[in-house]
Amino acid sequence: MSLQTDKRDFNTRTSDGLGDPFMRNAVGSAQDSLKTRRLSAATTLGDWEQWRTLGQQIRQHTLKHLDYYLEQLASNIEDKGGHVYFAKTKEEASGYIRDIIVQKKAKKIVKSKSMVTEEIEMNRVLMEAGCELTETDLGEYILQMDDWDPPSHIVAPALHKDRTQICRVFTEKLGYTGDESPENLARFARTVLRQKFLEADVGITGCNFAIANLGAINLVTNEGNGDLTAAIPKTHIAVMGMERIVPTLEEMEVLDNLLCRSAVGQKLTSYITVMGPSAAGETDGPEEFHLVVVDNGRSDILGSEFGEALQCIRCGACLNVCPVYRHIGGHAYGSIYPGPIGAVITPLLGGYDDYKELPFASSLCGACTDVCPVKIPLHEQLILHRQKIVEEHRTGATERFQMKTAGRLLSSQALFGKALRFANPASRLISRHGRIVRGPGLIRGWINIRDLSQPVKQQDSFRAWLEQRKGGSGQ
């Protein structure tokens, strides 16, 4: 899998999402539940806004001094006998990982959930090299067994599937013979995955935060699969986006508290682990540790007007409040990063050619900005994307003409007044029984996604009402 999960056009993807009642119900239920749980968990910290401000300050400080902390991290890991590789591109990152595995003649790989490994297409590269790769996060494992179905949520990748669908996948692909109860499905998956851990030659994990002064990484999981992936195989390879770093344990503690509450509404998830190269004489842990630090366009974002997007800690909170995500689901974004944060970072990493529609898939209600635990101004960055897309003439000719015309009308009081007087009669050309049913360009797109089935009650225009009020008051 790569950054792009679906090459169909945006309208086709959104139509599929809007036409999937199960997915919409699942997302809606998850949003409602997670909202309540997040608010409850946040109150236990005291002043939540103060914690958000502190999280923002930590992320901004680290990004401002990113070169220093990355150098410190690499030096400390190497002093402990570990290896650090800085990959400029996704090809360099996945190629380095492949070379390690080929050198060790490793064939069986276990992997914990990691968005950045999807971004660099690591799974494809390793399987082409003849490796047997197993996702060990339960949600990701379900998707792998279902012919690598793309994830639909940053935290809950299999959110779009129910127990019946999961049971079918396990029955067809793994010979499962039990019922649809979650307990039995999980027990079966655990039995299969335990053997995979024991047989693995190499374990690959992501990294929630690297801790610069310790030369270590922090994993946050609910299933313990990350710890098993890192500890049982002889070689552990961790992969991180270059921005996912904190100076010390104290900053990690703050961000982990924000992450767990924002992601799943828990005070802390089941496993908060700090790990790295094994010290001399230790019997537990891998014999060899590699950290792959991935740039893949992040350094360009760092120095741009979108730099605040790199503050993201991948909690998924913005997805859990977004009204657009609620209705179209994660697959409609065509990216491994869905929701508001996906609409911001996907065009930055993948370019406007494939993703210019994503910044417009937003109501700009600002709920994503309000809920972000590190105060990324997401709705403002979406507006900035829209501005750049228009400035670069990536919109259609009809849309550009309409916006240029609107600009002239709105900048002239005389023209605007004349337009208002003609608006009511002109609207009859595109409406029937008080309902707008047709129109060019932007109007067509507008009526395709909004419910206009109820006729508008006939009434005087605002200007006529205002003039009447002025006359009645003697002004």
Side-chain angles (χ1 to χ4, degrees), residues 138 142 145-146 161-182 184-186 188:
L138 181 55
I142 291 167
M145 291 300 100
D146 198 14
K161 293 188 181 298
D162 63 10
R163 65 181 70 180
T164 300
Q165 293 169 314
I166 295 169
C167 182
R168 174 188 57 78
V169 171
F170 282 5
T171 299
E172 294 177 358
K173 300 299 176 65
L174 299 169
Y176 175 67
T177 58
D179 59 23
E180 297 179 359
S181 70
N184 287 334
L185 289 168
F188 174 78

Side-chain angles (χ1 to χ4, degrees), residues 302-369:
L302 186 65
S304 74
E305 59 269 58
F306 294 101
E308 288 173 292
L310 294 180
Q311 294 171 203
C312 179
I313 60 175
R314 301 294 190 269
C315 66
C318 58
L319 283 69
N320 299 335
V321 297
C322 178
V324 174
Y325 177 83
R326 186 183 187 100
H327 289 288
I328 67 175
H331 289 163
Y333 291 83
S335 165
I336 59 170
Y337 300 118
I341 185 62
V344 171
I345 65 172
T346 299
L348 297 173
L349 296 173
Y352 287 137
D353 287 344
D354 292 324
Y355 302 109
K356 66 177 181 294
E357 295 92 352
L358 295 190
F360 295 92
S362 170
S363 64
L364 298 181
C365 63
C368 51
T369 298

Side-chain angles (χ1 to χ4, degrees), residues 113-129:
K113 183 174 178 293
S114 165
M115 304 299 290
V116 72
T117 57
E118 303 288 355
E119 182 185 320
I120 65 174
E121 300 184 56
M122 185 197 74
N123 292 1
R124 176 187 61 79
V125 171
L126 295 188
M127 288 189 291
E128 287 178 354

Side-chain angles (χ1 to χ4, degrees), residues 34 37-38 153 155-156 257-266 269 313-317 320 373:
L34 288 169
R37 289 163 55 184
R38 182 188 63 82
H153 192 282
V155 176
N257 271 282
L258 290 167
L259 172 62
C260 297
R261 285 164 169 81
S262 298
V264 290
Q266 292 177 279
T269 48
I313 60 175
R314 301 294 190 269
C315 66
N320 299 335

Side-chain angles (χ1 to χ4, degrees), residues 375-391:
K375 293 190 173 183
I376 303 172
L378 289 165
H379 73 288
E380 294 178 6
Q381 297 213 328
L382 290 170
I383 293 172
L384 184 57
H385 266 309
R386 296 182 183 191
Q387 178 182 340
K388 291 179 70 68
I389 289 168
V390 172
E391 288 175 350

Side-chain angles (χ1 to χ4, degrees), residues 54 92 101 122 156 175 197 338 388 467:
L54 184 56
E92 289 181 5
I101 289 171
M122 185 197 74
F197 286 123
K388 291 179 70 68
E467 293 297 332

